[in-house]
Amino acid sequence: MTAPATDPQTPHRERDGVRLEIDGELAVVTLCQPKRRNAQSPALWRALTAVGRELPGTVRVVLLRAEGVSFSAGLDRAMFTPEGIPGEPGFLQLAAAGDQELDETIADYQEAFTWWRRPDLITVAAVQGHAVGAGFQLALGCDLRVVAEDVQFSMKETSLGLVPDLAGTKPLTELVGYARALEICATGRWVGAAEATAIGLANLAVPAAELDAAARDLAAALLAAPRAAVIETKALLQGAAGRSYDEQRSAERAAQARRLRDLAGIGD
């Protein structure tokens, strides 16, 4: 492996709680405020959004990880106080905003959670300790999740009188089904590693000391397949839920035709 490329935005990103390292076709995004249990703020979301926009086109797999005992304890609680976070709109200010302004603000926040499902990338979250609210939704933003045996997922928004609004409700429902997703969100209860793997929320659970190695092993396996074949396969699977059986068969045929022609050197 080559040495990871230096990110010129490292000091700025780390101040906001994010570190980016590029190692060839692998990008590693690290939440790096362990003393704050990687609590999330609009500044962190802007940093994550910038990472998604600035990734080199050579990157195929993105590994999301976090330093410390917790993946992310969720929203910075200062956002709930009257004082809020300096320089950021607080909840009272958001509540008083007009419909369009409020919608646009939340849409901007959501972008930090949505680019992980881009068709040209496979994304893997390595999750340990608490992944609460926004932390849970960030893990859900990735295609795959490897978890430590001490992981505890919880969707606490409903307990605070809010709803999960950071793009996590659709992937959660797709992974575990409507009834279980409703129960998890409405109760805000904890979901541990054993249950997460049993219900399809996590792909693999390992001892905490092995989490990074397991996630990197998975990333290496994903990089072993030809890029174009992986992109076509991801697109097929992402669209499957919205297609009928016959429509999916047709999509498979079209994708395979593209692959065969590309391999034969006669594609577009």
Side-chain angles (χ1 to χ4, degrees):
M1 268 189 185
T2 59
T6 301
D7 174 19
Q9 296 297 318
T10 291
H12 176 74
R13 292 199 215 281
E14 289 195 0
R15 183 193 68 199
D16 294 332
V18 176
R19 182 185 306 120
L20 170 65
E21 298 170 285
I22 306 291
D23 188 358
E25 296 178 312
L26 174 67
V28 179
V29 179
T30 302
L31 306 182
C32 58
Q33 292 182 333
K35 291 183 179 179
R36 301 180 63 250
R37 294 181 180 259
N38 300 306
Q40 298 186 30
S41 67
L44 182 143
W45 297 336
R46 288 192 293 270
L48 287 176
T49 296
V51 166
R53 292 175 178 173
E54 297 166 14
L55 282 179
T58 52
V59 170
R60 296 177 53 193
V61 174
V62 182
L63 172 59
L64 172 64
R65 59 181 299 279
E67 294 179 346
V69 297
S70 292
F71 178 76
S72 174
L75 291 179
D76 186 329
R77 289 305 178 100
M79 294 178 70
F80 292 93
T81 66
E83 298 79 15
I85 298 173
E88 304 288 358
F91 278 101
L92 293 177
Q93 185 178 346
L94 287 173
D99 289 348
Q100 182 175 346
E101 181 184 352
L102 180 54
D103 185 79
E104 290 174 352
T105 300
I106 296 174
D108 286 342
Y109 295 163
Q110 288 175 330
E111 191 175 347
F113 296 76
T114 55
W115 65 263
W116 306 88
R117 289 181 175 262
R118 275 171 33 185
D120 60 321
L121 301 172
I122 303 290
T123 55
V124 180
V127 189
Q128 80 279 8
H130 293 99
V132 181
F136 192 178
Q137 292 182 82
L138 186 57
L140 285 167
C142 292
D143 295 307
L144 308 172
R145 280 151 297 282
V146 179
V147 302
E149 291 175 346
D150 68 350
V151 79
Q152 291 288 327
F153 292 105
S154 178
M155 203 71 84
K156 290 292 189 184
E157 283 82 353
T158 311
S159 305
L160 299 170
L162 302 170
V163 300
D165 67 339
L166 296 172
T169 56
K170 183 171 177 60
L172 179 62
T173 303
E174 290 175 341
L175 287 166
V176 306
Y178 161 75
R180 195 177 297 273
L182 175 60
E183 179 248 335
I184 288 170
C185 291
T187 65
R189 71 174 178 83
W190 299 105
V191 179
E195 182 181 1
T197 52
I199 65 178
L201 183 57
N203 297 81
L204 176 69
V206 297
E210 300 174 16
L211 179 62
D212 272 350
R216 287 179 180 273
D217 284 348
L218 177 54
L222 294 166
L223 288 169
R227 180 171 196 164
V230 173
I231 289 173
E232 287 278 17
T233 300
K234 179 174 179 177
L236 275 173
L237 296 173
Q238 281 187 318
R243 301 188 190 105
S244 69
Y245 181 70
D246 286 342
E247 288 169 340
Q248 184 70 2
R249 289 171 55 230
S250 177
E252 290 174 355
R253 295 195 299 272
Q256 194 70 300
R258 288 190 293 271
R259 295 305 312 126
L260 288 169
R261 288 170 181 149
D262 185 56
L263 291 171
I266 57 175
D268 293 335

